[in-house]
């Protein structure tokens, strides 16, 4: 490694002439150079690697956030979304850990919009809150990596009709709001995540007994399968629509039709690129 | 300018800051003792050399995203060397989070649980780690990796030979007399995987080129 490292640093214009002894001393735990008081604030402060990891994880949860947003667009209120609070709190901790304060503020804003929309009885005023939520999706997606941001936007659109959170599990005997909240707090935000968990882990993470955990996982798998079938049908319909548009494009130079084709292509690509959030 | 080493996305060298950063990840099944390991490491080093431990866990104290702390090791010819320690969440459903944390790891400490009922969990976790590394275009055999047989004080622990045969399939072991299974509490008299990992990282890096 010393040769490689030396080359690497030499390429940067720093001829270091590292010896194997230097590195082994270091790896053996002894500081190589005697030094007095040193200011390590820039070394031990926010790490680029930490920032990179937190950005990726927040990006993975874009889909979970998108489903909450879609649920609100579909008419659900804060009371119907027991997992929203823990999800936002966890993501907020993640954001603040790397000083992403704008992102943390946006997460607070999301909670405020959902609360306001839920409490509003006037349809007109509720619509104003939904407009705020639409703006929020755009703004929050800009704090994510480009691909994750696009996934947030496209998933909100995709899920506005049906919302595969954990609500389906309410139909199980023994699953009420309290246990549902425990599942959420353990990070089991959606049926897909729960479908891929082991019953023993669900039991250990939430404190619910193993027999019920088995039922929860089995039901989640059934729901997830049904959801995949629904997605597959919708995907086929979109693909058919796109093929029809493409056939027209090949016969026309009309800019409007070209725009439609591009839009449909983006939509289809967004749908095809939707990754599973947690296996 | 940030440079990655020629053998892949690892060991970041920031020439402008004269900083060399190494990423070490503790992997293993849920509740095997990954967090306890890095907390023990953090305790053993002077506060002046370590940043604060960042723990992102659930109410039941399971790691939700990861645990993290940075450690300053010293200088090599003017370059400050820093190690970023991470743990991954052990539960199988946090697969995507584990993948994000493992990406770019310069070394991995796999913390296996010696509890008999956790034998399958160890294997599943090891396989998950392998698939994550391969998904990043790397081969697990090229990544410096040490195993810690943790919780040796449980009743009828999984025999060491079984752990070695089923998990440490690469077969590299310490010479007889130098094997050091983890007995009981990680913060106890037996050094955690960190020191072994430093040595494995050194061997792994030398193997390059």
């Amino acid at each position: 490694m010393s040769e490689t490292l030396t080359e690497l640093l030499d390429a940067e214009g720093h001829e270091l002439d590292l010896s194997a002894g230097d590195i082994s001393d270091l790896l053996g735990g002894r500081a190589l150079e005697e030094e007095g008081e040193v200011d390590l604030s820039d070394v031990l402060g926010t790490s680029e690697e930490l920032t990179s990891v937190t950005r990726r994880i927040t990006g993975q949860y874009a889909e979970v956030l998108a489903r909450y947003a879609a649920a609100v667009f579909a008419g659900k209120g804060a009371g119907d979304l027991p997992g929203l609070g823990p999800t936002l709190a966890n993501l907020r901790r993640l954001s603040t850990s790397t000083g992403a304060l704008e992102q943390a503020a946006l997460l607070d804003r999301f909670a405020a919009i959902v609360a306001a929309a839920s409490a509003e009885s006037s349809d007109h005023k509720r619509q104003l809150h939904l407009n705020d939520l639409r703006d929020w999706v755009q703004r929050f997606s800009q704090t994510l990596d480009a691909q994750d941001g696009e996934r947030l936007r496209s998933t909100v659109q995709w899920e506005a009709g049906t919302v595969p959170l954990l609500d389906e599990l309410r139909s199980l005997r023994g699953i009420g709001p309290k246990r549902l909240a425990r599942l959420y707090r353990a990070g089991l935000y959606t049926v897909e995540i729960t479908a891929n968990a082991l019953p023993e882990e669900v039991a250990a993470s939430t404190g619910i007994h193993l027999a019920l955990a088995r039922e929860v996982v089995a039901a989640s798998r059934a729901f997830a399968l049904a959801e995949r079938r629904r997605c597959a049908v919708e995907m086929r319909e979109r693909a058919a629509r796109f093929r029809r548009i493409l056939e027209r494009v090949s016969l026309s130079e009309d800019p409007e039709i070209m725009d439609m084709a591009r839009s449909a292509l983006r939509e289809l690509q967004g749908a095809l690129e939707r990754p599973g959030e947690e296996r | 300018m940030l440079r990655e080493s020629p053998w892949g996305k690892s060991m970041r060298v920031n020439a402008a800051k004269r900083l060399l950063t190494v990423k070490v990840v503790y992997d293993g099944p849920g509740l095997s003792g990954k967090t306890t390991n890095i907390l023990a490491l953090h305790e053993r080093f002077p506060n002046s050399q370590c940043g604060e431990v960042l723990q992102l866990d659930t109410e039941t104290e399971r790691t939700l995203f990861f645990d993290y702390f940075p450690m300053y090791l010293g200088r090599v010819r003017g370059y400050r060397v820093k190690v970023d320690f991470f743990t991954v969440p052990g539960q199988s459903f946090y697969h995507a989070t584990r993948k994000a944390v493992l990406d770019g790891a310069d070394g991995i400490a796999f913390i296996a649980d010696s509890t008999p009922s956790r034998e399958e969990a160890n294997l599943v976790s090891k396989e998950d780690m392998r698939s994550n590394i391969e998904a990043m275009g790397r081969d697990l055999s090229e990544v410096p990796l040490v195993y810690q047989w943790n919780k040796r004080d449980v009743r009828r622990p999984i025999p060491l030979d079984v752990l070695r045969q089923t998990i440490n399939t690469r077969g590299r072991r310490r010479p007889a007399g130098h094997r050091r299974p983890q007995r009981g509490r990680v913060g106890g008299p037996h050094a955690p995987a960190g020191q072994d990992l430093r040595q494995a990282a050194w061997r792994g890096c030398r193997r390059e080129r």
Side-chain angles (χ1 to χ4, degrees), chain A residues 1 3-5 7-9 11-12 14 16-18 20 22-24 26-29 31-33 35 38-40 42-45 47-50 53-54 56-57 60-61 90-91 93-94 97 185-189 193 196-198 201 204-205 277-279, chain B residues 1-7 12-15 18-20 23 48-51 54-60 62 64-66 68 70-82 84 86 91-97 100-101 103 128 198 202 205-206 209:
Chain A
M1 190 273 289
E3 287 173 20
T4 313
L5 181 61
E7 284 173 15
L8 191 65
L9 298 176
E12 299 294 336
H14 301 274
L16 293 178
D17 190 25
L18 281 172
D22 288 336
I23 303 296
S24 61
L26 174 72
L27 294 168
L32 295 181
E33 292 175 6
E35 52 189 343
V38 286
D39 179 13
L40 294 176
D42 64 327
V43 176
L44 300 178
S47 150
E48 288 169 11
E49 192 54 35
L50 177 64
V53 169
T54 54
R56 284 188 63 176
I57 294 174
Q60 285 166 7
Y61 282 84
N90 286 328
L91 289 175
R93 286 169 71 193
L94 204 56
S97 69
R185 279 197 291 272
L188 296 156
Y189 301 121
I193 296 176
N196 287 296
L198 299 172
E201 291 174 337
S205 305
E277 58 224 9
E278 295 283 0
R279 193 182 60 182
Chain B
M1 179 187 170
L2 190 69
R3 288 258 325 219
E4 287 167 358
S5 64
W7 57 86
R12 285 136 289 268
V13 178
N14 189 325
R18 299 183 74 78
L19 179 66
L20 210 155
K23 181 177 179 181
S48 58
Q49 270 185 259
C50 297
L54 173 66
Q55 277 186 279
L56 296 160
D57 50 21
T58 65
E59 283 178 0
T60 48
R62 267 75 172 181
L64 179 60
F65 296 126
F66 55 82
Y68 164 84
M71 181 198 286
Y72 174 64
L73 281 186
R75 284 177 191 261
V76 183
R77 308 280 170 148
Y79 269 73
R80 294 173 297 180
V81 180
K82 170 194 179 188
D84 280 335
F86 285 89
Q91 282 71 30
S92 61
F93 50 90
Y94 293 127
H95 172 79
T97 304
V101 177
D103 194 11
D128 179 82
R198 285 202 300 259
W202 167 227
C205 290
R206 287 190 72 167
R209 297 182 64 81

Side-chain angles (χ1 to χ4, degrees), chain A residues 36 120 137 167:
Chain A
E120 195 52 70
V137 170
D167 287 13

